[in-house]
């Protein structure tokens, strides 16, 4: 049991902190969910990438720093403590990139990863469909074989970042009529500006187009943009959903920084006793999440698989995030209803947590069946 | 950084678990609740042989400590099996005695606590009840007027508790003055809270295990009730709460920081209590009876919430420490 980072990891922390102090924009960037904000965030990503702070855990040949999990966690702590902007590249970096490292070709990695890291090509995820939701095995969008590639048709929905992004990745049914619904799916990358793609931005609760509907009509995708073996997309995608639910999507650094901001807000509002317990719980929850992650990282570093434990993670952080923001809005009083603050933006974002990346109902089923061993039953 | 129990620590947990499983703790708990201390004392000396009470005591006094991580490992198992008696208090007394400026009382009293010949109890505040004053042979009290630490000469009547196996007693005033201002008081409180937090985590894990087993075999409408989503989701929530309390408990054992320990105490106790509510709901009527063993865990989970620091006090400790930390950071920023 050890909770101290090595001196070299602490040196890495100091280097990251110094860089962030010198570079983090002093003015808050406009919301990521606006065209202007999206563009501003791309500029920030390019600045990060220029000094190789954009994807610290990637190999150096793709613009990273070969950082292990500990250094990645250290970087994330420093990043959020410095008040740095949200990451517009996150979908690509945390969902597509790990899949490419595990299942992509060398050519795909060399072509796709560097512009992803710099924000030059921003990726949207295109997994959900109107009738499928968290049940990815129910996908019906098709990939039909054609000369030199595939033709994609169908509809995707709630595609995060798709309103302003460049490219997307998702699962398509390439072999209809397989005995099991998760067979015969193919994992592909496609251009959101290709002929046959219609992007219809959807306003989320606050009206901002955080995601979009995609209508695909015989969109051509060359063979080079298929990830892994055709028909094996389910297994390939599953290795990424583990990291989506798990630690890569929500690093503890983010919640430690949020809890500190909540504490500062509480003090600024005169430390009202009515919020005493919830502010304390926010601080405790961030610490619990940090330590839980340290334990998970320790296991991963010893070669253990991520496993269904990532479902515990997802339920915890998604509910934690909402509780923290609810407390902040209550502390802000009437101003908490204003839609143009970091807290209100964060609140709207947090509300989606229990819905996406596999709803929390799905996660609780996984916890009950795979971690507790309860019998499967009717949903 | 390697935030995982090592092989030896896991083996220690496993051997305590096996020993306590074989010991039929429910009958020990019931006897203890009736004031029959024999089976409890027998179990106590086996725990001492396994080294449990040596973990908080330094080598000078026959101990092997301080080993707070191993102590947390042990107390998770003690909680898992609902072991009765002044376990937390004996550990707390060991830390208090070992921290006195005058080594006399520790030399005289500590080896017997380590070996299991003696049990100790401690009143958490001046005039407050001490657990199992009738069973303990070393009773430490705080003088209401001076705050001095005294070896109490006796105890008052046992007051019935919601958890029948917890038997709080007033301690008699007076007795030998061991220290006028015990310097280790705050440190002993940290150990007490750590031990309670670990014990609560173990209780919660046992409540979850027992309930999972129950809903797997209890049928309604022709199927196990554990196949219903409403049942599954309550148990999944209990699992989430306990699995996020666990790293707080072991993290606190590593740092022994009072705020970390307070955070672990409130979180583990609230998780255990929430699991107790879930366990009762999912067991239904049978869980609401004193004769079914589940009650032994249920009532203890309720009691631990408020001993050695209520949820409000523990949260207050966390907030105060965070405020000091952020003030220090701001001062640091201003100096730049």
């Amino acid at each position: 049991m050890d909770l101290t980072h090595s001196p070299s990891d602490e040196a890495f922390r100091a280097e990251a902190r110094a860089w962030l102090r010198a570079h983090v924009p002093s003015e808050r960037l406009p919301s990521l969910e606006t065209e202007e904000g999206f563009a501003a965030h791309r500029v920030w990503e390019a600045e990060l990438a220029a000094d190789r702070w954009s994807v610290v855990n990637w190999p150096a040949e793709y613009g990273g720093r070969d950082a292990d999990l500990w250094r990645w966690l250290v970087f994330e702590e420093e990043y959020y403590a410095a008040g740095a902007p949200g990451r517009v590249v996150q979908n690509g970096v945390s969902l597509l990139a790990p899949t490419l490292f595990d299942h992509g070709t060398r050519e795909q990695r060399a072509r796709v990863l560097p512009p992803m890291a710099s924000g030059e090509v921003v990726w949207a995820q295109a997994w959900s469909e109107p009738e499928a939701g968290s049940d990815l095995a129910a996908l019906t969008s098709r990939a039909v074989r054609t000369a030199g590639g595939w033709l994609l048709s169908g509809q995707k929905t709630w595609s995060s970042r798709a309103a302003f992004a460049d490219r997307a990745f998702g699962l398509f049914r390439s072999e209809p009529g397989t005995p099991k619904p998760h067979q015969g799916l193919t994992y592909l990358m496609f251009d959101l500006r290709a002929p046959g793609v219609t992007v219809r931005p959807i306003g989320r609760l606050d009206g901002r187009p955080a995601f979009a509907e995609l209508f695909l009509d015989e969109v051509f995708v060359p063979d080079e943009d298929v990830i892994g073996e055709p028909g094996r997309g389910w297994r390939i995608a599953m290795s990424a959903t583990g990291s989506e639910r798990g630690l890569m999507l929500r690093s503890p650094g983010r919640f430690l920084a949020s809890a500190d901001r909540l504490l500062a807000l509480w003090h600024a509002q005169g430390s009202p006793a009515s919020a005493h317990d919830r502010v304390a719980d926010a601080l405790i929850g961030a610490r619990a999440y940090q330590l839980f992650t340290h334990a998970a990282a320790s296991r991963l570093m010893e070669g253990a698989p991520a496993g269904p434990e990532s479902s515990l993670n997802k339920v915890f952080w998604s509910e934690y995030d909402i509780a923290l923001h609810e407390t902040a809005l209550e502390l802000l009083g009437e101003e908490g209803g204003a839609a143009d603050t970091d807290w209100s933006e964060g609140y709207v974002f947090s509300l989606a947590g229990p819905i996406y990346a596999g709803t929390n109902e799905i996660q609780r089923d996984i916890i009950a069946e795979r971690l507790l061993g309860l019998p499967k039953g009717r949903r | 950084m390697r935030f995982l129990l090592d092989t030896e620590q896991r083996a220690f947990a496993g051997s305590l678990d096996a020993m306590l499983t074989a010991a039929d703790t429910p009958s020990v708990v019931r006897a203890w609740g009736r004031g029959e201390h024999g089976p409890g004392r027998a179990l106590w000396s086996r725990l001492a042989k396994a080294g449990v009470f040596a973990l908080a005591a330094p080598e000078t006094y026959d101990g092997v400590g301080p080993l707070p991580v191993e102590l947390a490992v042990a107390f998770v198992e003690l909680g898992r099996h609902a072991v009765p008696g002044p376990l937390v208090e004996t550990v707390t007394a060991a830390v208090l005695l070992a921290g006195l400026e005058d080594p006399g009382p520790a030399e005289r009293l500590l080896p017997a606590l380590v070996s299991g010949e003696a049990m100790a109890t401690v009143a958490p505040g001046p005039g407050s009840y001490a657990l199992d004053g009738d069973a303990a042979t070393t009773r430490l009290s705080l003088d209401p007027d001076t705050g001095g630490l005294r070896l109490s000469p006796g105890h008052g009547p046992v007051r019935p508790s919601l958890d029948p196996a917890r038997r709080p007693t007033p301690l008699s005033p007076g007795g030998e003055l061991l220290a006028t201002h015990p310097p280790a008081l705050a440190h002993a409180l940290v150990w007490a809270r750590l031990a309670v937090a670990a014990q609560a985590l173990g209780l919660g894990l046992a409540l979850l295990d027992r309930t999972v087993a129950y809903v797997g075999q209890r049928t309604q409408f022709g199927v196990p009730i554990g196949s219903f989503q409403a049942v599954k989701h309550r148990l999944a929530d209990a699992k989430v709460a306990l699995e996020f309390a666990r790293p707080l408990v072991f993290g606190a054992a590593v740092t022994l920081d009072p705020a970390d320990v307070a955070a672990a105490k409130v979180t583990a106790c609230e998780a255990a209590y929430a699991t107790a509510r879930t366990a009762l709901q999912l067991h239904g009527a049978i869980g609401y009876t004193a004769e079914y063993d589940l009650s032994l865990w249920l009532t203890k989970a309720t009691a631990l919430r408020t001993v050695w620091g209520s949820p409000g006090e523990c949260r207050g400790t966390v907030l105060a420490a965070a405020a000091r930390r952020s003030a220090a950071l701001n001062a640091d920023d201003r100096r730049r």
Side-chain angles (χ1 to χ4, degrees):
Chain A
M1 282 265 154
D2 180 11
L3 278 172
T4 50
H5 289 290
S6 69
S8 76
D9 288 355
E10 287 300 337
F12 175 83
R13 181 195 297 281
E15 190 189 350
R17 183 178 294 181
W19 188 91
L20 289 161
R21 271 186 190 274
H23 290 83
V24 168
S26 51
E27 295 271 305
R28 175 177 164 240
L29 300 185
S31 166
L32 199 62
E33 320 299 359
T34 62
E35 192 159 10
E36 177 203 8
F38 209 85
H41 280 78
R42 279 189 202 255
V43 172
W44 166 243
E45 293 293 342
E47 195 173 345
L48 278 170
D51 288 328
R52 292 192 300 122
W53 291 110
S54 159
V55 284
V56 294
N57 57 317
W58 286 12
E61 64 173 307
Y62 303 120
R65 289 174 175 252
D66 290 305
D68 64 10
L69 261 177
W70 297 125
R71 289 199 175 182
W72 177 75
L73 287 164
V74 163
F75 174 75
E76 292 279 304
E77 282 180 15
E78 292 304 318
Y79 187 87
Y80 288 103
R87 301 296 303 273
V88 71
V89 298
Q90 176 152 303
N91 276 306
V93 167
S94 66
L95 297 178
L96 178 57
T99 310
L100 289 175
F101 284 122
D102 288 350
H103 303 279
T105 64
R106 172 165 276 280
E107 182 280 324
Q108 284 174 330
R109 290 196 284 270
R111 172 164 53 90
V112 173
L113 294 176
M116 178 195 288
S118 67
E120 191 188 327
V121 175
V122 176
W123 290 83
Q125 61 107 333
W127 281 344
S128 294
E129 292 186 7
E131 299 301 323
S134 291
D135 181 10
L136 288 184
L139 300 179
T140 60
S141 289
R142 303 180 306 283
V144 177
R145 198 80 184 100
T146 187
W150 299 80
L151 294 173
L152 309 184
S153 297
Q155 186 185 351
K156 296 283 179 179
T157 194
W158 212 4
S159 292
S160 301
R161 305 272 179 268
F164 308 113
D166 308 294
R167 287 172 67 78
F169 52 92
L171 285 174
F172 292 84
R173 195 162 291 286
S174 52
E175 297 162 31
T178 50
K180 289 191 174 164
H182 57 267
Q183 293 171 344
L185 295 167
T186 296
Y187 199 161
L188 298 122
M189 304 178 275
F190 58 98
D191 197 327
L192 286 170
R193 298 190 189 102
V197 179
T198 306
V199 178
R200 189 181 80 82
I202 305 173
R204 64 174 181 192
L205 284 182
D206 63 357
R208 287 179 173 150
F211 38 70
E213 244 173 334
L214 307 178
F215 299 92
L216 307 168
D217 181 15
E218 304 211 322
V219 177
F220 177 74
V221 174
D223 282 329
E224 63 186 30
D225 280 344
V226 173
I227 305 172
E229 202 184 318
R232 306 291 299 275
W234 170 267
R235 285 186 54 170
I236 297 167
M238 282 305 105
S239 67
T241 57
S243 57
E244 181 185 28
R245 290 163 195 161
L247 51 131
M248 293 315 261
L249 190 63
R250 287 289 178 279
S251 64
R254 176 184 185 127
F255 295 126
L256 290 166
S258 296
D260 280 345
R261 286 177 57 226
L262 183 69
L263 177 71
L265 175 66
W266 184 59
H267 286 144
Q269 304 291 88
S271 309
S274 58
H276 177 278
D277 285 4
R278 277 169 299 149
V279 173
D281 284 345
L283 291 162
I284 293 169
R287 176 74 171 154
Y289 190 65
Q290 180 190 35
L291 292 169
F292 183 91
T293 306
H294 284 163
S298 298
R299 282 191 296 271
L300 290 171
M301 294 288 281
E302 291 183 2
E309 284 77 12
S310 60
S311 294
L312 297 170
N313 225 29
K314 204 258 160 169
V315 170
F316 184 85
W317 66 247
S318 57
E319 299 203 337
Y320 170 85
D321 206 16
I322 293 177
L324 179 131
H325 282 90
E326 282 172 347
T327 307
L329 294 198
E330 186 183 318
L331 283 168
L332 286 166
E334 254 181 65
E335 207 208 321
D340 58 352
T341 66
D342 276 354
W343 285 117
S344 53
E345 172 94 26
Y347 170 69
V348 172
F349 185 65
S350 76
L351 285 180
I355 300 168
Y356 70 81
T359 63
N360 282 11
E361 284 70 26
I362 296 283
Q363 306 307 327
R364 289 188 173 97
D365 284 342
I366 294 173
I367 293 165
E369 289 167 14
R370 294 180 58 194
L371 292 175
L372 297 177
L374 289 170
K376 280 186 180 285
R378 283 173 58 187
R379 300 283 181 232
Chain B
M1 173 87 77
R2 187 184 180 278
F3 186 55
L4 286 179
L5 293 176
D6 63 29
T7 317
E8 265 180 56
Q9 289 162 339
R10 289 200 303 270
F12 180 47
S15 69
L16 284 176
D17 185 33
M19 188 249 273
L20 291 167
T21 302
D24 183 22
T25 52
S27 68
V28 179
V29 180
R30 290 183 191 281
W32 192 271
R34 291 191 298 268
E36 298 161 16
H37 295 136
R41 283 189 198 284
L43 186 58
W44 193 276
S45 62
R46 295 179 65 191
L47 290 171
K49 276 207 185 70
V52 169
F53 303 113
L55 299 169
E59 286 177 34
T60 336
Y61 307 112
D62 297 355
V64 297
L67 291 174
V69 174
E70 281 73 9
L71 184 99
V73 167
F75 270 75
V76 168
E77 300 311 317
L78 299 176
R80 198 192 293 277
H81 294 277
V83 175
L87 297 157
V88 171
E89 290 68 21
T90 294
V91 162
T92 309
V95 174
L96 255 177
L97 292 169
L100 296 181
E101 274 166 31
D102 170 12
E107 281 165 7
R108 183 156 45 97
L109 299 167
L110 243 178
L113 294 185
V114 170
S115 71
E117 283 161 58
M119 275 178 195
T121 194
V122 183
S128 49
Y129 284 87
L131 186 63
D132 297 312
D134 58 335
T137 41
T138 300
R139 302 179 201 90
L140 300 178
S141 64
L142 295 168
D143 199 297
D145 301 322
T146 65
L149 182 70
R150 286 182 184 275
L151 198 55
S152 171
H155 65 88
V158 174
R159 184 175 174 186
S161 161
L162 266 180
D163 171 7
R166 287 185 68 87
R167 298 161 54 81
T169 47
L171 296 185
S172 312
E176 181 190 343
L177 184 67
L178 300 178
T180 45
H181 295 287
L185 205 55
H187 190 56
L189 177 65
V190 164
W191 280 75
R193 285 182 176 175
L194 175 66
V196 174
Q199 195 181 9
L201 175 61
L203 270 167
L205 293 169
L207 283 160
L208 179 61
D209 282 351
R210 297 176 72 94
T211 309
V212 165
Y214 181 77
V215 302
Q217 47 100 9
R218 164 82 168 145
T219 59
Q220 285 272 266
F221 311 108
V223 290
I225 62 170
S227 64
F228 298 139
Q229 210 174 26
V231 169
K232 281 180 178 168
H233 286 194
R234 280 199 76 152
L235 289 168
D237 282 337
K239 177 77 174 164
V240 171
L242 291 165
E243 290 305 330
F244 278 85
R246 187 197 301 269
L248 283 173
V249 170
F250 287 104
V254 171
T255 68
L256 281 188
D257 179 283
D260 284 346
V261 174
K265 203 271 174 188
V266 59
T267 308
C269 287
E270 295 304 274
Y273 181 69
T275 306
R277 291 283 321 279
T278 290
L280 175 55
Q281 181 67 26
L282 300 185
H283 276 80
I286 192 173
Y288 193 69
T289 63
E291 61 195 63
Y292 191 67
D293 283 346
L294 190 76
S295 66
L296 310 178
W297 280 260
L298 288 176
T299 52
K300 205 176 292 298
T302 307
L304 291 190
R305 279 188 80 210
T306 45
V307 299
W308 290 104
S310 68
E313 284 173 80
C314 289
R315 290 184 170 112
T317 303
V318 169
L319 276 175
R324 281 195 301 276
R325 181 170 48 83
S326 77
L329 277 178
N330 288 338
D332 192 40
D333 265 353
R334 277 195 299 276
R335 272 197 299 276
R336 274 168 196 278

